[in-house]
Amino acid sequence: MSALERVIEERGRRAPGFAAAVEAELAEIRAFDDVVNVIVDRLSELGWTREELALRDDRNAASLRRLFTAPSANPTLATMMSIAEALRSAARNSRAELGGADARR
């Protein structure tokens, strides 16, 4: 058992619901981590730099870089959705350039 798990267990004994609250927070953090990983993978597929994504999303490149690298980054859902939309637009444009049937979606 890790030190963190021991602390959670101990505090959980003193404060009912503490362990469940910690687990809920960890689940949210993992969900955002998953979204960031998908975005990073998509950037790689497109051959974009983070600076290019920032430009296409009308966002400051330094703030976007911190979003991906800072241990204390706390992105909002609106921020993540804006970034996802920039990537979706790129996918649509790529298909249109290739003349794909899905380009009109």
Side-chain angles (χ1 to χ4, degrees):
M1 178 180 287
S2 72
L4 176 60
E5 291 168 329
R6 285 191 297 276
V7 168
I8 292 169
E9 185 178 289
E10 175 62 31
R11 289 188 90 185
R13 278 186 242 140
R14 291 182 281 153
F18 179 79
V22 168
E23 195 53 47
E25 288 294 321
L26 290 174
E28 187 174 324
I29 291 167
R30 283 190 293 271
F32 270 107
D33 283 348
D34 290 346
V35 171
V36 169
N37 289 334
V38 167
I39 290 170
V40 169
D41 289 347
R42 185 68 181 129
L43 285 175
S44 179
E45 290 169 9
L46 292 168
W48 288 7
T49 64
R50 292 173 184 169
E51 287 75 19
E52 186 170 1
L53 174 59
L55 178 67
R56 291 175 184 252
D57 192 38
D58 196 28
R59 186 171 303 281
N60 178 288
S63 67
L64 184 68
R65 211 172 13 260
R66 281 190 302 275
L67 175 70
F68 288 118
T69 60
S72 61
N74 188 14
T76 64
L77 182 58
T79 298
M80 300 308 287
M81 293 305 294
S82 177
I83 292 168
E85 182 54 37
L87 291 169
R88 249 193 312 276
S89 293
R92 283 193 300 268
N93 292 341
S94 293
R95 284 193 301 269
E97 290 169 5
L98 294 173
D102 292 335
R104 290 177 287 283
R105 287 187 189 174

